[in-house]
Structures are given as structure tokens and as C-alpha cells.
């Protein structure tokens, strides 16, 4: 017989907490009190929640738990960014990154241990997939960042003002948990983040984008990365299922469902010789003509299992100029924290892959490395032969 787990209050949205209290014959406003204790004051010990009667606290201690994932390591980058390794219940390790900038602090949060979508440029994708994070594991990353930055003790100068779901995993493939976690982040009696400052980044899970408006009004970033289906399908297998036209249609429809005027961010990784040609920029400008949007160019961040390269700064700036001349607002993402392996696409954690994809990628990479080594050796041999001949020529000259 498996023991049923007690509900974890750290992962319950306001609506779910209210239902829990009402079903237990308690007043629904207890839900707000709990959210404030846990998410605003950082208190996890029920005994310390002094505006709740002693009797109810004793009852809660028997029937619920308040638990968060564990922080295993803390890295500090030279540029002030932080990366934390978080251990989740499945035993996997995921990563989250804090990037301080003037006037704001952005936390990049993971939604899954690994990712099943296998985009060819992404370190997380090469690890395969292990598990979806729970609500408490997702929102717990924000709790931990606030705790580590001293916000629960009132140090607000380095607080998290923005959250981007751009860590490990595809947020829209862990839909229900991500939606509840976002609602806690945006809840006034919890973190109170504005909908404009919480961004879901997706590789384009169209049916999930279509459902999004019924659950959240968070901002949206789309990992597009190619201006046509042929190229996009090559680097992002999900495009075979949900091609660009359908994707842009669903994004447009989500944006128009929002009551305020907001535009999506179109993310475009620049990979040398793959999608960074001037013609790609021109095609992208035409493709996005009817979609009001901002474009964020992301120079590819290298990692060991990939042979892709980052383009030169001049081709990045050419690409940018073409889009700007076509009237787009374009930003180029500056690489932050790559000294601690925390730049976009470098997040790997430790994922016990259930899909065996990571082993396939490592094997293929090892085979390629072996081939390259063999080529290098052959080259060295021929250099030696030529060097030998050169030496011979010199020796003959001396005679
Ligand atoms: N699965 C979601 C969110 C996580 S990936 C998505 O794909 O949008 C977050 C961002 O990092 C995406 O835009 C992704 O395309 C980008 N990224 C992945 N690998 C990268 C790499 N090697 N260099 C730069 N950006 C990368
Ligand atoms: Fe998954 Fe996003 Fe990486 Fe693609 S880019 S493999 S969707 S995490």
C-alpha cells in the first residue's frame, strides 16, 4: 500500500488553498494568511504563523506539509549573476539563474528536469527527459532566490523583479503545474509580480498556447530560431508537429486575448552558418510582418556536446540592422554568467534521463570526437612526413 502524501501548502495556489480550508470547515481567508507567511515572509514552520489560532496550527501540522526543493550548490559569477543547483523529488538536479541589472533582477526558472523536445542547439535537450517539476519545485525556485538574496530579511535592493521561464524544460509541457506556479508568483498576497514581468518562453506547443488565455495573462516569448519550416524542423523537431504558420496564428490569438497592449518576444538564436545569413534576416522580416512583436537575438552559447558556433560580431550586427531597417525593435541578448555555465542553453543540472537520448547524444559526440582525433592524428603524421622532407631538404642544402 502506498502512503498518501499530505498536501504541500508551498505548492497550492490561492484558489486551491481556499478550497482546502473551506473543505476542512475553516474560513477561506486562511489561504491569504498562509500565502503571506510562506511566500512573503519566507516562514515554513507552522508554529511561527502566529495570526493562526494554536488549535488550527496543531490541526494543520497533522494534515499538511510545507516543503520546498533543496539547494545543493550556489555559484557566483564575476558579473554578479548567481546560479543555484536545486535538487527535486525525482532525484534530478535542475538549475536556476539570477541576473541582476540596473533597476531590475531577473530570475530564470526551470520547469522540467531535462526536456523531451531535443532542439539541436540546446544542452538541456541533449540530456533527454526525466520529470515534470511540481508546483512547489517551480515556485520554490523563486522562494529560494528571495531567501538567498536576503529579501525575507527586508533586503529589497537585489530582489527578483522579473521571472522568465527560460531555464531547463518546456514550460507548456508541464502545463498545470506551471500555471499554478505562475498564479502564485503573480498573486498580491504572495510574490505580487506583474503580469508584464513574468514571461513564459516556449518552443511552440500550439495546443497549449491555444489554452493559455483561460489560465494566465503572463507575457510570452517564442523560440522561433528560423524563418522557414524547412530550417526550423531541422533544428527544432517540434516544428514537424506544429509548423510556423500555426504557431504564429496561436501566438497572435493569445496576444489579442490580453486586455492590455503587449507584444510577444520572438527569440532567435544566431548560429554561425546555420540561420545567420542576411537572407534569413530578410525572410524573418517578411515572416513577422503581420505580427506586432519584439525580436531578441541570442548569439549561440557553446557547450561540449555541440559543434555549432557563435557567429562573428559583425554578422550579428548585420542581422540586427536588416531587421531594424525593416522596422522591428531588436535587442541582442548579452551573454551573462557563462563563467559559471549559466548562459542561455547551457543549463544541464543532473538529469536521470528516461528517454536514453542523452546516452545517444554522448555516444554520437564521442564517435565524432574520435573521428576528429583520427583526422588530427593523420594530419600530424602527414605534417611529420613533410617536416621530415623539409628537414631532409635543409640537410641536403647544407651538404
Ligand atoms: N523550452 C523553452 C524554454 C527554455 S529554453 C524554449 O525553448 O523556449 C530558453 C531559451 O534558451 C530559448 O529561447 C532557447 O531557444 C534558448 N537556448 C537554448 N539553447 C541555447 C544555446 N545553446 N545558446 C543560446 N540560447 C539557447
Ligand atoms: Fe527544450 Fe527549450 Fe531546450 Fe528546445 S530549447 S530542448 S524546448 S529546453
Amino acid at each position: 500500500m502506498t502512503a498518501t502524501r499530505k498536501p504541500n501548502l508551498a505548492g497550492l495556489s490561492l484558489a486551491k488553498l481556499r478550497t482546502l480550508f473551506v473543505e476542512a470547515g475553516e474560513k477561506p481567508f486562511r489561504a491569504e494568511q498562509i500565502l503571506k507567511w510562506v511566500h512573503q515572509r519566507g516562514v515554513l514552520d507552522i508554529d511561527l504563523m502566529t495570526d493562526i489560532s494554536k488549535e488550527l496550527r496543531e490541526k494543520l501540522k497533522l494534515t499538511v506539509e510545507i516543503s520546498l526543493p533543496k539547494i545543493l550548490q550556489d555559484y557566483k559569477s564575476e558579473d554578479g549573476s548567481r546560479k543555484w543547483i536545486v535538487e527535486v523529488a525525482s532525484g534530478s538536479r535542475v538549475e536556476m539563474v539570477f541576473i541582476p541589472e540596473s533597476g531590475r533582477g531577473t530570475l530564470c526558472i526551470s520547469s522540467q528536469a531535462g526536456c523531451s523536445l531535443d532542439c539541436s542547439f540546446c544542452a538541456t535537450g541533449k540530456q533527454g527527459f526525466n520529470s515534470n517539476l511540481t508546483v512547489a519545485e517551480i515556485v520554490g525556485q523563486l522562494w529560494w532566490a528571495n531567501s538567498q538574496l536576503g529579501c525575507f530579511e527586508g533586503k529589497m535592493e537585489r530582489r527578483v523583479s522579473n521571472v522568465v521561464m527560460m531555464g531547463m524544460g518546456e514550460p507548456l509541457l508541464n502545463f498545470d503545474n506551471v500555471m499554478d506556479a505562475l498564479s502564485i508568483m503573480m498573486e498580491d498576497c504572495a510574490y505580487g509580480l506583474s503580469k508584464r514581468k513574468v514571461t513564459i518562453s516556449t518552443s511552440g506547443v500550439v495546443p497549449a498556447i491555444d489554452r493559455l488565455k483561460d489560465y494566465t495573462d503572463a507575457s510570452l516569448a517564442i523560440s522561433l530560431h528560423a524563418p522557414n519550416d524547412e530550417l526550423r524542423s531541422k533544428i527544432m523537431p517540434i516544428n514537424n508537429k506544429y509548423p510556423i504558420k500555426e504557431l504564429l496564428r496561436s501566438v497572435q490569438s493569445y496576444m489579442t486575448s490580453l486586455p492590455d497592449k503587449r507584444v510577444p518576444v520572438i527569440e532567435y538564436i544566431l548560429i554561425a552558418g546555420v540561420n545567420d545569413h542576411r537572407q534569413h534576416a530578410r525572410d524573418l522580416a517578411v515572416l513577422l510582418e503581420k505580427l506586432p512583436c519584439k525580436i531578441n537575438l541570442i548569439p549561440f552559447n557553446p557547450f561540449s556536446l555541440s559543434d555549432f558556433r557563435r557567429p562573428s560580431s559583425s554578422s550579428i550586427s548585420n542581422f540586427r540592422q536588416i531587421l531594424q531597417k525593416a522596422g522591428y525593435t531588436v535587442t541582442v541578448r548579452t551573454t551573462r554568467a557563462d563563467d559559471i555555465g549559466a548562459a542561455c542553453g547551457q543549463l544541464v543540472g543532473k538529469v536521470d534521463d528516461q528517454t536514453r537520448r542523452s546516452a545517444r547524444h554522448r555516444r554520437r559526440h564521442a564517435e565524432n570526437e574520435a573521428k576528429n582525433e583520427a583526422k588530427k592524428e593523420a594530419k600530424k603524421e602527414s605534417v611529420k612526413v613533410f617536416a621530415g622532407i623539409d628537414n631532409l631538404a635543409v640537410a641536403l642544402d647544407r651538404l
Side-chain angles (χ1 to χ4, degrees):
M1 210 175 82
T2 49
T4 44
R5 279 197 75 169
K6 295 176 182 176
N8 180 4
L9 297 195
L12 293 185
S13 62
L14 179 60
K16 289 196 173 141
L17 267 174
R18 278 190 182 143
T19 309
L20 183 126
F21 280 112
V22 170
E23 280 174 0
E26 298 292 336
K27 295 272 184 288
F29 73 82
R30 299 286 179 210
E32 272 97 337
Q33 288 178 310
I34 295 285
L35 284 182
K36 279 187 187 154
W37 279 113
V38 175
H39 300 289
Q40 289 189 350
R41 301 180 190 128
V43 171
L44 304 179
D45 181 350
I46 293 175
D47 278 328
L48 300 179
M49 302 183 174
T50 45
D51 58 2
I52 297 175
S53 70
K54 183 123 194 345
E55 194 194 339
L56 178 54
R57 275 185 269 153
E58 291 305 321
K59 192 168 148 193
L60 285 175
K61 274 156 57 183
L62 294 175
T63 50
V64 301
E65 62 175 17
I66 303 185
S67 74
L68 291 170
K70 263 197 240 138
I71 293 275
L72 295 182
Q73 262 161 314
D74 172 6
Y75 297 93
K76 293 189 175 113
S77 163
E78 279 180 2
D79 68 14
S81 304
R82 303 271 290 264
K83 175 171 96 169
W84 294 282
I85 311 284
V86 181
E87 187 178 58
V88 294
S90 64
S92 292
R93 290 161 193 191
V94 298
E95 306 188 346
M96 61 159 168
V97 180
F98 176 70
I99 305 151
E101 285 163 302
S102 62
R104 68 176 181 183
T106 303
L107 186 68
C108 178
I109 286 186
S110 293
S111 56
Q112 299 183 308
C115 182
S116 59
L117 295 180
D118 203 19
C119 302
S120 59
F121 45 76
C122 174
T124 305
K126 300 259 187 249
Q127 293 189 298
F129 175 75
N130 178 271
S131 56
N132 279 331
L133 302 198
T134 63
V135 182
E137 287 167 347
I138 300 166
V139 80
Q141 295 172 59
L142 179 54
W143 188 96
W144 269 115
N146 277 334
S147 163
Q148 298 270 305
L149 296 168
C151 301
F152 294 137
E153 287 111 57
K155 289 187 206 147
M156 297 307 275
E157 67 280 2
R158 290 188 65 212
R159 105 201 141 82
V160 176
S161 60
N162 296 53
V163 164
V164 290
M165 299 302 300
M166 291 186 190
M168 296 168 66
E170 168 50 55
L172 296 188
L173 288 183
N174 183 11
F175 194 87
D176 295 343
N177 291 349
V178 167
M179 291 306 120
D180 274 5
L182 294 185
S183 87
I184 300 173
M185 292 173 196
M186 296 196 272
E187 191 54 63
D188 282 342
C189 55
Y191 298 91
L193 295 177
S194 128
K195 58 194 175 196
R196 291 178 167 265
K197 295 187 171 179
V198 175
T199 303
I200 303 168
S201 175
T202 177
S203 57
V205 187
V206 169
I209 302 173
D210 285 340
R211 292 166 63 206
L212 211 51
K213 64 175 186 316
D214 299 326
Y215 297 83
T216 189
D217 52 5
S219 298
L220 197 57
I222 302 297
S223 291
L224 190 65
H225 307 324
N228 61 63
D229 282 324
E230 197 191 347
L231 180 55
R232 191 166 192 265
S233 296
K234 268 190 200 148
I235 57 176
M236 300 182 73
I238 193 176
N239 195 68
N240 290 305
K241 210 163 174 192
Y242 307 118
I244 294 176
K245 199 169 158 208
E246 273 181 50
L247 173 58
L248 297 185
R249 192 262 318 139
S250 73
V251 172
Q252 176 81 287
S253 142
Y254 176 70
M255 297 318 297
T256 43
S257 79
L258 299 175
D260 56 334
K261 248 189 155 195
R262 249 182 295 162
V263 297
V265 172
I266 300 295
E267 297 170 280
Y268 193 103
I269 293 187
L270 286 168
I271 310 170
V274 174
N275 65 353
D276 66 335
H277 197 277
R278 285 162 187 269
Q279 191 55 41
H280 292 129
R282 289 184 210 112
D283 292 348
L284 185 63
V286 174
L287 179 72
L288 298 174
E289 238 166 22
K290 295 205 179 78
L291 178 75
C293 62
K294 287 182 196 157
I295 299 175
N296 188 208
L297 300 176
I298 316 169
F300 172 72
N301 289 316
F303 57 94
S304 66
L305 289 184
S306 172
D307 297 326
F308 285 151
R309 283 175 303 109
R310 178 184 293 205
S312 65
S313 8
S314 66
S315 42
I316 296 172
S317 103
N318 287 339
F319 204 95
R320 178 189 200 158
Q321 272 171 23
I322 292 170
L323 292 168
Q324 277 174 331
K325 279 200 187 130
Y328 292 92
T329 304
V330 189
T331 46
V332 177
R333 195 175 295 174
T334 43
T335 300
R336 298 284 305 261
D338 64 350
D339 55 336
I340 53 171
C344 285
Q346 289 182 331
L347 302 185
V348 287
K350 184 172 168 291
V351 172
D352 186 9
D353 176 22
Q354 297 184 342
T355 62
R356 302 210 198 114
R357 176 172 297 133
S358 54
R360 277 201 300 279
H361 279 302
R362 278 198 304 273
R363 207 167 42 238
R364 221 173 289 150
H365 186 72
E367 281 164 13
N368 284 346
E369 291 276 284
K371 271 189 214 150
N372 287 343
E373 269 312 303
K375 269 191 208 152
K376 267 191 223 152
E377 280 305 315
K379 207 168 163 194
K380 260 193 223 154
E381 280 306 312
S382 66
V383 170
K384 262 193 221 155
V385 171
F386 281 111
I389 293 171
D390 281 347
N391 289 345
L392 185 63
V394 172
L396 285 175
D397 268 349
R398 283 200 190 125
L399 277 177

